[in-house]
């Protein structure tokens, strides 16, 4: 009996070895191998980092300088209005740039075509607010409003949120009214540490939140959420289960994150206070490009936010001026 059992065991082992040496073509496409590797096709393997605080892994973004975004030069374009506080994030709509000062305490409105200040709106000062990014949406709160809702990413020691503001004017008197606050998760909920910033994808209705993972920072993390509707309430709390997708740039930290924007499917982020850089992030194809604004384009001013006017790109600085980016065809 033992002889027959041993023969049966050897026969099974031979069959298993024969199967393992066969053609793997049928199982290589769009299948999960192990717990941390997703095989997209035979030539493209994407490593998904295990997330100890979430159920969804991070897709790793790889550096690729072949991304079609090439800067020819960055030139001074116009000055900014003198302000009471430091210049922060801003965005443009219909020929006007709206840029915050001191987080959320002052909003400067600049006539871009005439390169002249239009007005300044002052609100209640809150030293917990620090605005690195602001984006206009496609949503108007009132049918007679001159501007769509302006979303600003506000972060500090005691808060991390996105504020939706309505800009109105009566007889030339402009006012700012907060109509919604979107609270981001804290680090005890997800790996969002070191004051995350957020960019609004107004065309597709998403929020892209980018942050470091640890202190000191080693990696650059990106989270995708759905942009809540105004009808969902004055305060909306985003949770871990609201995360749609997650990406990570390994071993490439951003110590001073600044503003950003979505353009042609690319997430563009600025960083720096003295070491100024720009990231061009292709989330769809899992790659990014790092541009050194200081070394290559002599940008020795602090880049606060990037915005677009009729196809042209501009950077609003921390107070030294507004700069125009000339893209090359190469």
């Amino acid at each position: 009996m033992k002889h027959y059992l041993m023969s049966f065991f050897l026969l099974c082992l031979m069959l298993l070895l024969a199967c393992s040496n066969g053609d793997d073509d049928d199982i290589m496409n769009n299948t999960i191998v192990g717990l941390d590797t997703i095989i997209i096709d035979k030539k493209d393997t994407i490593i998904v980092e295990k997330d100890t605080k979430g159920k969804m892994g991070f897709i790793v973004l790889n550096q690729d300088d072949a991304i079609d975004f090439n800067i020819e030069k960055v030139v001074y374009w116009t000055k900014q209005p003198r302000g009471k506080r430091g210049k922060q994030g801003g965005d443009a709509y219909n020929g006007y740039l709206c840029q915050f000062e001191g987080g959320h305490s002052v909003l400067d409105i600049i006539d871009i075509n005439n390169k002249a200040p239009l007005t300044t709106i002052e609100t209640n000062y809150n030293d917990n607010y620090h605005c690195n990014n602001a984006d206009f949406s496609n949503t108007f709160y009132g049918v007679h409003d001159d501007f769509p809702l302006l979303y600003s990413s506000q972060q500090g020691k005691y808060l991390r949120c996105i504020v939706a503001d309505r800009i109105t004017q009566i007889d030339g008197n402009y006012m700012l009214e907060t109509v919604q606050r979107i609270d981001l998760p804290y680090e005890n909920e997800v790996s969002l540490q070191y004051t995350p910033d957020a960019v609004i994808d107004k065309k597709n209705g998403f929020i892209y939140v980018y942050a470091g993972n640890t202190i000191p920072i080693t990696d650059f993390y990106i989270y995708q959420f759905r942009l809540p509707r105004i009808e969902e309430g004055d305060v909306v709390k985003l949770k871990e289960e609201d995360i749609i997708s997650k990406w990570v740039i390994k071993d490439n930290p951003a110590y001073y994150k600044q503003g950003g924007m979505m353009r042609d499917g690319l997430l563009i982020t600025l960083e720096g206070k003295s070491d100024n850089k720009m990231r061009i992030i292709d989330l769809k194809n899992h790659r990014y490009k790092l541009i050194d604004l200081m070394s290559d384009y002599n940008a020795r001013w602090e880049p606060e936010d990037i915005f677009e006017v009729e196809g042209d790109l501009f950077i609003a600085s921390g107070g030294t001026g507004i700069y125009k980016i000339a893209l090359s065809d190469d």
Side-chain angles (χ1 to χ4, degrees), residues 236-269:
V236 177
K237 169 67 175 177
L238 296 181
K239 302 177 181 178
E240 178 186 334
E241 52 264 34
D242 297 319
I243 298 173
I244 299 172
S245 298
K246 299 190 291 188
W247 299 266
V248 63
I249 298 175
K250 299 291 294 181
D251 303 320
N252 202 315
Y255 294 108
Y256 296 101
K257 296 180 286 66
Q258 303 291 354
M261 66 176 293
M262 289 295 300
R263 185 176 190 266
D264 298 331
L266 299 175
L267 172 61
I268 303 174
T269 65

Side-chain angles (χ1 to χ4, degrees), residues 28-33 36-48 58-62 285-286:
M28 286 294 288
N29 292 317
N30 301 320
T31 60
I32 296 180
V33 179
D36 58 356
T37 303
I38 295 180
I39 306 299
I40 301 301
D41 55 42
K42 299 175 187 177
K43 298 180 180 179
D44 185 12
T45 303
I46 298 174
I47 304 299
V48 178
F58 291 89
I59 297 177
V60 176
L61 301 173
N62 298 309
N285 295 302
H286 316 298

Side-chain angles (χ1 to χ4, degrees), residues 146-164:
D146 296 328
F147 295 93
L149 291 175
L150 180 61
Y151 287 80
S152 59
S153 176
Q154 304 285 347
Q155 65 288 126
K157 184 177 181 180
Y158 300 107
L159 88 167
R160 46 177 70 191
C161 64
I162 303 167
V163 176

Side-chain angles (χ1 to χ4, degrees), residues 273-277 291-301:
K273 190 174 181 180
S274 57
D275 183 18
N276 304 326
K277 291 183 173 60
I291 298 174
D292 194 323
L293 293 174
M294 177 175 286
S295 298
D296 297 339
Y297 304 100
N298 199 34
R300 301 187 178 279
W301 31 267

